[in-house]
Amino acid sequence: MELVDVWFVLIAVLWTGYLCLEGFDFGVGMLLPAVARDEHDRQVALGTIGPVWDGNEVWLLVAGGATFAAFPEWYASLFSGFYLAFLLLLVALILRGIALEYRAKEPRWAPVLDRILTGSSLAAALLVGVALSNIVRGVPLDADHEFTGTLLTLLNPYALLGGVTLVLVFALHGAVFLALKTDGPVRERSAAVAASAGLLAVPAGGVFLVWTLLDGAPLWALAPVAVAALGLVLATVLVARGREGWSFTATTVAIVAVAVTLFGSLYPDVLPSTIDPAFSLNVVNAASTPYTLTIMTWVAGIFTPIVLGYQAWTFWVFRRRLTRADHGAPAELAGGAS
């Protein structure tokens, strides 16, 4: 395997990690009004992602940095063509961070910040789905690899369906995560929301993945598509039976399978051209020099295990369930199993 192929796989892995980890963060933010009835419930729900959400966002930053270093032509065409969409995504992520960090510091603004958190989480998930869908489907690139469309070009039916599908999958992923990480009323409501989200995510995901297959995906992509569909169905069934751990595993496997389908369908291109396939960017004409890729491979080989170990340790430290009693609720209001 050439280094360009290695780095394409590594970037796909970084995006997959981002979708799996930041996915439940977005889901928690989107579902906050549905699972929390008062301030104690909101503190319980947000406490599940408080120690990890900013670390989960690092996966997106590293994916962008790796794209810049390994495939500068891909980075240039992508970030210039998707400029307005990425600007909106950046604004959503900034507002989400402000809402998470400042609601405890300014209690008077907590209701407003909670609405901002919900809206920005939904918007960010939608924009990520639209961006990934356009990368896989292709965009109008000319012979100089320059984007010739507009923002409306990116809002095509396939991309919009991909965005809506990702929102629903993240809602299911986040609801299952909340049911896994909490106890009492928040856990009960999260399980109920997960069942409803699953009923919407399964058909939406099925249509999107079938469309991807019919749009020229390789035959082998049938396998991860089947795994993704089965994962979403099992997650919905398992969370209803109180098996939150297995349900969360199922949603994670489904997201990984979706990422494998999308990036596997994309390869060897990194940004197809809908004007002429000859204008497409691929792992060869978009890549950095072999010397650059060699240095990056050594750096990634040294530091990636360290980062993964630290993040795994963080999740282990904050592994227990949270209840209302953890956030100062009276004992008689804590609810749920002890």
Side-chain angles (χ1 to χ4, degrees), residues 245-270:
W246 285 108
S247 180
F248 185 73
T249 301
T251 58
T252 302
V253 169
I255 292 173
V256 171
V258 170
V260 169
T261 302
L262 295 180
F263 283 96
S265 302
L266 179 62
Y267 181 84
D269 290 335
V270 293

Side-chain angles (χ1 to χ4, degrees), residues 187-240:
R187 178 186 181 186
E188 296 166 3
R189 296 187 198 109
S190 299
V193 170
S196 301
L199 293 177
L200 297 174
V202 170
V207 173
F208 175 71
L209 290 173
V210 169
W211 193 339
T212 303
L213 290 174
L214 296 177
D215 207 29
L219 187 60
W220 62 261
L222 285 170
V225 166
V227 170
L230 181 61
L232 293 176
V233 172
L234 283 177
T236 307
V237 173
L238 289 169
V239 73

Side-chain angles (χ1 to χ4, degrees), residues 75 116 119 153 235 257 292:
Y75 181 92
I116 291 175
T153 306
T292 300

Side-chain angles (χ1 to χ4, degrees), residues 37 39 151:
R37 295 292 183 267
E39 180 60 21
L151 178 63

Side-chain angles (χ1 to χ4, degrees), residues 104-274:
K105 297 179 176 63
E106 295 291 341
R108 295 173 300 173
W109 287 90
V112 175
L113 293 173
D114 289 342
R115 295 187 186 95
I116 291 175
L117 173 62
T118 299
S120 59
S121 297
L122 193 153
L126 180 67
L127 289 167
V128 168
V130 169
L132 285 176
S133 300
N134 275 296
I135 291 172
V136 174
R137 174 181 176 271
V139 295
L141 292 180
D142 62 16
D144 296 322
H145 301 148
E146 293 183 1
F147 180 77
T148 60
T150 64
L151 178 63
L152 293 178
T153 306
L154 303 178
L155 301 179
N156 57 80
Y158 176 79
L160 290 174
L161 176 60
V164 171
T165 299
L166 197 65
V167 168
L168 294 173
V169 171
F170 281 178
L172 173 61
H173 196 42
V176 172
F177 179 77
L178 279 172
L180 173 66
K181 290 288 294 178
T182 63
D183 211 343
V186 175
R187 178 186 181 186
E188 296 166 3
R189 296 187 198 109
S190 299
V193 170
S196 301
L199 293 177
L200 297 174
V202 170
V207 173
F208 175 71
L209 290 173
V210 169
W211 193 339
T212 303
L213 290 174
L214 296 177
D215 207 29
L219 187 60
W220 62 261
L222 285 170
V225 166
V227 170
L230 181 61
L232 293 176
V233 172
L234 283 177
T236 307
V237 173
L238 289 169
V239 73
R241 297 183 178 181
R243 305 295 297 275
E244 294 96 348
W246 285 108
S247 180
F248 185 73
T249 301
T251 58
T252 302
V253 169
I255 292 173
V256 171
V258 170
V260 169
T261 302
L262 295 180
F263 283 96
S265 302
L266 179 62
Y267 181 84
D269 290 335
V270 293
L271 192 61
S273 172
T274 56

